[in-house]
Amino acid sequence: MRPGSEDLGPEKITSNGNPATQLKLTKLVQEIQTDTSHDVDYDRIAKIRASMEAGDLQFDPDSVANALVEDIFQLP
């Protein structure tokens, strides 16, 4: 079992007699949700999106997939 995976399972609760599911988020997920490091350049994303919508930027899904696979195998 992965460390922290015990926090990922659903927990049955009842609210007003109706069954519901409550998920516990791991500490890592909580840190990601509250991250303020601004690693994402939203201005650049907006420019890329606008270029794609205008047809000025060609999108090659094969090269994107290859880059993702290469990146995965470079993980420590």
Side-chain angles (χ1 to χ4, degrees):
M1 184 179 292
R2 291 181 11 215
S5 62
E6 64 276 356
D7 293 338
L8 297 176
E11 192 176 287
K12 293 291 183 183
I13 60 170
T14 56
S15 173
N16 299 329
N18 297 326
T21 301
Q22 178 182 8
L23 297 177
K24 292 183 181 179
L25 298 179
T26 65
K27 183 177 180 180
L28 177 61
V29 172
Q30 291 172 347
E31 289 174 5
I32 290 170
Q33 289 178 332
T34 58
D35 183 17
T36 59
S37 64
H38 304 291
D39 291 338
V40 178
D41 186 348
Y42 292 103
D43 291 334
R44 183 165 186 236
I45 291 173
K47 289 176 185 176
I48 292 170
R49 184 173 288 143
S51 294
M52 288 177 70
E53 289 174 356
D56 297 333
L57 181 65
Q58 298 300 318
F59 178 73
D60 182 12
D62 288 333
S63 70
V64 172
N66 288 333
L68 288 171
V69 169
E70 287 178 15
D71 188 58
I72 288 171
F73 287 110
Q74 292 178 3
L75 292 176

